[in-house]
Amino acid sequence: MRDFRQYQSSEFLIGSSEEKWKKGMKPKPFEKPVYVTRPFLPPLSEFTEGLKEIWDNRWLTNNGPILRRFTRQLCDYLGTENVCLFNNGTLALQIALQGMGISGEVITTPFTFVATTHALYWNKIRPVFVDIEPEYYTLDPQRVEEAITPWTSAILAVPVYGHPCNHEALADIARRHNLRLIYDAAHAFGVKVNGQPISQMGDLSMFSFHATKLYQSIEGGMLVFKEAGLKTTFDYLKNFGFQNQVEVVMPGTNAKMNEMQALMGLLVFEYLDEIIEKRRKITEAYRERLQNVPGLLLPKPLPENVEYNYGYMPIQVSEKEMGISRDGLFQKFKEYNVLTRRYFYPLICDYSCFRNVHVNSPLTVARDVSSKILCLPIYDTLALDDVEKICDIIHDSVS
Ligand SMILES: *Cc1c(COP(=O)(O)O)cnc(C)c1O
């Protein structure tokens, strides 16, 4: 049933735009900017209903009742009690590294959002950048293994765009070399492998609920981990190290999630399946319309055992075959009021603040992908008609 509807809508998309194309009609710029993403918002009435409860409670933060309800819901969803919530993903990751006592060198990817590396620096850990694999842009396990030194304490991998990493190979390396395996899974909420949430893969995973992610709590972060004992440490670290009113047991920081964030997270959670389904349809429409553009590379479809969250719509632009560079297409989209993003360009190691990091490993794939990558708009309320127009702009660029 689902497949049938999808087929119909794609047929319609192809038919109508190819006709326009033949007539030589130029696409028109969008009247309002089309952003690369927009947050899903629950009905306002649901939020104001929740606000009334917060007003009645007069409890705004510090492990409030709504935060506890939200935590319970996430524990049930993820099938573990080892869940800790934070005011954002970056602080969650910093606290994870600190609480686990990670030090020395950590092997990581240069093809990610800059916060992955920042979290290492805030813990005085040296990032060791290694190359990614060309299919899903995740860490190349062979490169990871080559980069291990006596100072290596962990692997910090990123399921970038929500693409699961080669987790079996990474777990095997971590086991053989006695390293911790940590995932910056900021993009991967809702992704499952063999029916299991992606948080089952390593020693610990961080998720971000920032407004720009497909699942949001305004700002927010979550750690999910294997070792139950870490929960107390994380709870201390996010609340100044307070054990009780008169005892501070470690130099913590302030990284607590507040009640408004928890409320948003709770409400949006009810719509998670709907959000993912809408994004799936948009992805299908893009794939259908872009599959035969010469020089335009779509990510390889994910293996059967992966339930994807459709968080991002990355394409690679090969100038030689497409006749337009990635930056040329980015610029052209801008003229049409489509605000695409070059996630992730430049590579982290090319930012001025990280240029002093010596990179031993060749980053051939990462450099190539970073120079060609462009993320197209995708969010639940993006109309399929607009997807069609966005694809028209691409077709117009190559014809
Ligand atoms: C968004 C993001 C973060 C940071 O999360 P915040 O909640 O915004 O602090 C970290 N890593 C990656 C890969 C991200 O995309």
Side-chain angles (χ1 to χ4, degrees):
M1 184 62 201
R2 177 200 270 176
D3 282 342
F4 174 68
R5 268 185 282 138
Q6 176 196 325
Y7 183 66
Q8 269 191 327
S9 67
S10 325
E11 279 283 85
F12 169 75
L13 285 181
I14 291 178
S16 65
S17 74
E18 226 123 81
E19 244 164 65
K20 254 188 275 167
W21 213 20
K22 276 183 211 139
K23 287 182 204 142
M25 267 171 67
K26 278 278 182 199
K28 283 203 200 87
F30 285 87
E31 272 171 30
K32 287 191 199 145
V34 179
Y35 299 100
V36 74
T37 189
R38 302 204 87 181
F40 170 87
L41 288 172
L44 182 59
S45 58
E46 292 186 8
F47 197 74
T48 51
E49 202 52 43
L51 285 178
K52 277 194 204 122
E53 187 186 336
I54 295 175
W55 256 244
D56 288 343
N57 294 339
R58 288 225 166 191
W59 193 338
L60 301 180
T61 185
N62 287 16
N63 200 26
I66 299 184
L67 180 92
R68 274 174 279 155
R69 212 186 301 153
F70 186 31
T71 308
R72 181 72 257 139
Q73 191 178 50
L74 289 165
C75 286
D76 293 344
Y77 172 67
L78 297 164
T80 171
E81 295 300 304
N82 302 333
V83 171
C84 193
L85 289 170
F86 298 84
N87 61 348
N88 64 60
T90 304
L91 280 170
L93 189 56
Q94 278 176 219
I95 286 176
L97 296 165
Q98 178 151 23
M100 293 170 87
I102 307 294
S103 63
E105 295 179 355
V106 168
I107 300 169
T108 189
T109 169
F111 188 75
T112 176
F113 182 62
V114 71
T116 313
T117 310
H118 284 339
L120 295 170
Y121 262 77
W122 278 72
N123 281 283
K124 300 193 163 56
I125 297 164
R126 195 171 98 82
V128 176
F129 296 115
V130 304
D131 210 357
I132 56 174
E133 292 187 303
E135 286 172 351
Y136 301 118
Y137 322 131
T138 53
L139 270 184
D140 182 337
Q142 197 186 326
R143 298 285 176 225
V144 170
E145 186 140 29
E146 288 165 4
I148 293 171
T149 73
W151 295 278
T152 311
S153 59
I155 301 166
L156 176 54
V158 179
V160 67
Y161 311 129
H163 298 165
C165 297
N166 193 339
H167 60 91
E168 277 165 10
L170 291 177
D172 182 52
I173 293 168
R175 198 166 38 240
R176 283 189 284 108
H177 295 270
N178 196 23
L179 307 175
R180 310 305 291 271
L181 177 55
I182 301 170
Y183 285 107
D184 173 346
H187 298 175
F189 191 76
V191 176
K192 290 182 179 171
V193 180
N194 297 325
Q196 297 288 320
I198 201 160
S199 51
Q200 302 278 332
M201 311 282 107
D203 293 307
L204 175 141
S205 299
M206 180 280 276
F207 296 85
S208 166
F209 304 155
H210 185 260
T212 54
K213 310 298 202 264
L214 93 158
Y215 173 69
Q216 60 93 11
S217 65
I218 309 175
E219 295 238 26
M222 173 173 71
L223 296 179
V224 188
F225 39 94
K226 293 270 164 67
E227 196 185 316
L230 285 170
K231 172 119 174 80
T232 316
T233 308
F234 294 151
D235 283 340
Y236 289 155
L237 284 173
K238 75 175 177 184
N239 190 31
F240 311 101
F242 275 115
Q243 187 176 44
N244 56 48
Q245 287 184 2
V246 292
E247 187 57 282
V248 173
V249 291
M250 55 183 85
T253 184
N254 180 4
K256 301 183 297 290
M257 177 179 275
N258 68 48
E259 291 288 274
M260 318 265 170
Q261 292 174 292
L263 172 62
M264 181 65 90
L266 258 177
L267 295 175
V268 177
F269 189 82
E270 296 302 318
Y271 298 90
L272 182 62
D273 290 344
E274 204 176 299
I275 293 168
I276 292 176
E277 177 58 16
K278 283 184 174 155
R279 286 170 169 267
R280 187 187 67 78
K281 285 198 177 122
I282 291 167
T283 303
E284 296 287 335
Y286 270 126
R287 281 191 172 272
E288 193 86 55
R289 283 284 282 129
L290 297 178
Q291 62 186 348
N292 292 323
V293 177
L296 187 150
L297 190 70
L298 294 161
K300 189 174 156 183
L302 288 156
E304 287 282 305
N305 65 341
V306 175
E307 285 170 58
Y308 187 42
N309 64 5
Y310 305 92
Y312 296 83
M313 187 62 224
I315 60 168
Q316 281 190 68
V317 177
S318 226
E319 182 171 10
K320 239 197 286 163
E321 295 147 80
M322 252 181 100
I324 186 165
S325 67
R326 185 272 312 272
D327 291 338
L329 186 59
F330 170 80
Q331 211 49 49
K332 172 157 179 163
F333 268 132
K334 226 175 182 174
E335 284 156 24
Y336 282 87
N337 227 354
V338 179
L339 308 178
T340 60
R341 295 295 299 263
R342 287 163 286 191
Y343 295 143
F344 289 97
Y345 166 83
L347 294 180
I348 306 286
C349 48
D350 291 339
Y351 283 123
S352 60
C353 94
F354 293 124
R355 266 183 220 142
N356 59 339
V357 180
H358 182 67
V359 181
N360 269 331
S361 179
L363 303 177
T364 321
V365 179
R367 290 206 181 283
D368 183 55
V369 174
S370 180
S371 72
K372 293 176 180 164
I373 204 86
L374 192 65
C375 284
L376 303 179
I378 183 164
Y379 48 89
D380 61 287
T381 50
L382 180 64
L384 288 177
D385 276 352
D386 290 343
V387 172
E388 188 193 353
K389 281 188 217 155
I390 291 165
C391 294
D392 282 345
I393 296 167
I394 294 179
H395 281 279
D396 183 68
S397 308
V398 293
S399 53

